Amino acid sequence: MKNKQLTVALLGFGVVGSGVAQVITENQDRIVDATGRGADIRYILDLRDFPDSPFADRIVHDFNTIVNDPEVDVVIEMMGGSHPAYEFTRASLEAGKSVITSNKEVVANFGTELLSLAAEKGVRYLFEASVGGGIPVLRPLSQDMAANRVQTIDGILNGTTNYILTRMARGGVSFETALCEAQQKGYAERDPSADVDGHDAARKIVILTAMATGLRIDPNTVPVEGIRYITEADVSIAKAMNCAIKLIGHMGRVEDHLTLWVAPCFVSRQNPLANIDDVFNGVLIDTDMLGQTLFYGRGAGKLPTAGAIVSDLVDIATHPFDAATALRWTDAPAHTLVSPADDGLVCLIYRKGDAMPETEWAPVVSETAQAIIVREGEAETVIARGETRPIATYRMSLL
């Protein structure tokens, strides 16, 4: 029935899950205005009990309670990690329930399979919140830009690393100090490796690429470098070159192939990404017809992410499954992905001066001075010519 109220189950009642419950409850009138029907949260799956929560009577501990209830229309998965989130998602789709998720790990690793299963079962699998938190970017990329050929995508896709790099640039603090601050503020996990080593951003650039091209690249094949080894001296050099250091997720086309990578970049202050600071995210998309478009906003957080999830709920309520327009991906063959060096990328290598302390390396970009720019594949040859400090993480494609 078109006007039947949507019955919803939430998987996970942490920061994002509680935010979704709040948005659905407090903005129920807006959901009704947008869709003609409301949304009822029937179940909330979590290992914990929440006796003081207004949703305490909806907490369940057994997923089978949800998957076996034929009245549940939509399952919203916010558990994090691949397992059991993948298994619960697959079981929900098999049972004929649409699924919404913010879980970029599941989408990046299993998106092709889950989209195919959703189409087979005549339901929707949506994940706007998996990239950019509350920034609406996936739906515009797949729908509003459908007539465009996406040439490149460059994104600041991780708020934790962007906060750390911002603190290093503005506050003159070390990576370790900035990371500690991020953890104290709740921006970084106790184990920050997924963020600072670039794996979170890699999953997101995989999803963006799939939305732009229809091809899902295996996240494990994407070259990834994090920000652990960025120093205060590096930040000073970037400033002297009128650049900001940003962790960039990149997709580019090289003839009939694609190149994807994640790495810290020197980004010119003339580039809009250079001025996106703190926990904010930005995605710069270049297309053949529209040119450059920047999507900017809060890339994480309870209510921004919850708002994106509920936007998917509104989409499901207003656009039932249509086989002709259903989103489908194809797993890209191994030869689709080519080396970053084939995309015209370079890395910076600093040669130490005769009497110059390491912290005072001059940011002069020339063969005869203190800094040399080389293509990535030439780094070992340059290092062999003399005493150098290789910084393979700096790529100049956005300079």
Side-chain angles (χ1 to χ4, degrees):
M1 291 174 54
K2 182 176 180 181
N3 294 321
K4 172 185 174 294
Q5 190 176 44
L6 283 174
T7 301
V8 177
L10 310 184
L11 307 187
F13 200 52
V15 173
V16 176
S18 61
V20 169
Q22 179 181 342
V23 172
I24 290 176
T25 302
E26 295 183 3
N27 287 6
Q28 183 74 211
D29 58 336
R30 299 190 64 82
I31 295 172
V32 172
D33 288 344
T35 66
R37 51 179 165 164
D40 171 56
I41 301 173
R42 177 165 296 185
Y43 302 112
I44 300 174
L45 180 72
D46 205 287
L47 295 174
R48 303 161 292 177
D49 288 306
F50 298 85
D52 299 326
S53 169
F55 301 97
D57 61 333
R58 305 175 211 192
I59 300 294
V60 297
H61 305 300
D62 185 356
F63 171 69
N64 289 318
T65 303
I66 295 171
V67 77
N68 291 330
D69 186 339
E71 294 188 1
V72 173
D73 302 301
V74 182
V75 173
I76 302 178
E77 185 273 303
M78 301 157 289
M79 303 177 68
S82 285
H83 308 285
Y86 160 73
E87 288 80 8
F88 287 176
T89 298
R90 184 172 178 85
S92 298
L93 294 172
E94 287 275 12
K97 306 177 190 304
S98 293
V99 176
I100 298 167
T101 186
S102 58
N103 191 331
K104 80 281 295 183
E105 187 171 333
V106 169
V107 178
N109 287 328
F110 306 105
T112 303
E113 172 191 343
L114 295 174
L115 284 167
S116 176
L117 177 59
E120 177 187 329
K121 297 297 180 178
V123 293
R124 308 284 304 281
Y125 181 52
L126 300 179
F127 37 85
E128 182 65 56
S130 66
V131 178
I135 306 171
V137 62
L138 297 186
R139 195 171 288 110
L141 184 57
S142 64
Q143 296 180 9
D144 301 334
M145 296 183 178
N148 290 257
R149 175 182 171 87
V150 176
Q151 309 287 17
T152 61
I153 301 174
D154 290 292
I156 297 171
L157 303 174
N158 183 273
T160 299
T161 52
N162 205 39
Y163 173 83
I164 291 171
L165 293 171
T166 299
R167 286 292 296 132
M168 292 179 70
R170 289 182 181 174
V173 301
S174 67
F175 166 81
E176 291 77 11
T177 298
L179 172 58
C180 184
E181 290 180 6
Q183 289 171 322
Q184 291 171 351
K185 290 179 179 288
Y187 298 151
E189 302 289 342
R190 180 176 299 177
D191 178 3
S193 55
D195 294 325
V196 301
D197 292 331
H199 302 298
D200 177 79
R203 292 164 185 146
K204 292 173 181 176
I205 195 63
V206 163
I207 296 170
L208 285 165
T209 299
M211 295 300 284
T213 68
L215 296 174
R216 187 197 70 93
I217 302 293
D218 183 349
N220 296 314
T221 65
V222 177
V224 176
E225 295 174 9
I227 66 168
R228 285 185 188 272
Y229 304 110
I230 301 298
T231 67
E232 296 154 88
D234 302 331
V235 173
S236 296
I237 291 169
K239 286 183 177 179
M241 297 176 68
N242 196 30
C243 291
I245 299 177
K246 299 293 183 183
L247 184 70
I248 299 294
H250 172 83
M251 183 281 284
R253 293 185 185 270
V254 182
E255 297 178 350
D256 295 329
H257 301 280
L258 298 174
T259 178
L260 274 73
W261 48 260
V262 173
C265 291
F266 273 12
V267 183
S268 168
R269 285 293 176 187
Q270 296 178 346
N271 187 305
L273 292 177
N275 301 304
I276 296 176
D277 291 326
D278 296 315
V279 295
F280 285 83
N281 283 194
V283 183
L284 187 64
I285 300 174
D286 190 17
T287 67
D288 58 349
M289 298 298 171
L290 183 60
Q292 286 191 339
T293 303
L294 177 67
F295 296 84
Y296 164 79
R298 292 190 177 275
K302 176 178 179 177
L303 294 180
T305 304
I309 288 171
V310 176
S311 76
D312 279 344
L313 187 62
V314 169
D315 192 342
I316 287 172
T318 53
H319 297 92
F321 174 78
D322 181 354
T325 60
L327 180 64
R328 292 178 174 86
W329 292 349
T330 301
D331 285 344
H335 68 268
T336 302
L337 197 64
V338 296
S339 167
D342 294 328
D343 197 21
L345 299 182
V346 294
C347 66
L348 278 181
I349 293 184
Y350 289 91
R351 176 172 292 157
K352 196 171 181 179
D354 292 338
M356 187 178 293
E358 181 173 333
T359 56
E360 296 179 6
W361 282 327
V364 181
V365 185
S366 75
E367 282 286 343
T368 58
Q370 308 305 323
I372 349 169
I373 295 182
V374 297
R375 288 180 62 86
E376 187 175 10
E378 302 168 356
E380 292 183 4
T381 302
V382 174
I383 293 170
R385 293 208 296 256
E387 186 183 3
T388 61
R389 176 190 180 216
I391 311 179
T393 55
Y394 290 165
R395 292 188 166 93
M396 304 291 288
S397 61
L398 299 184
L399 185 58

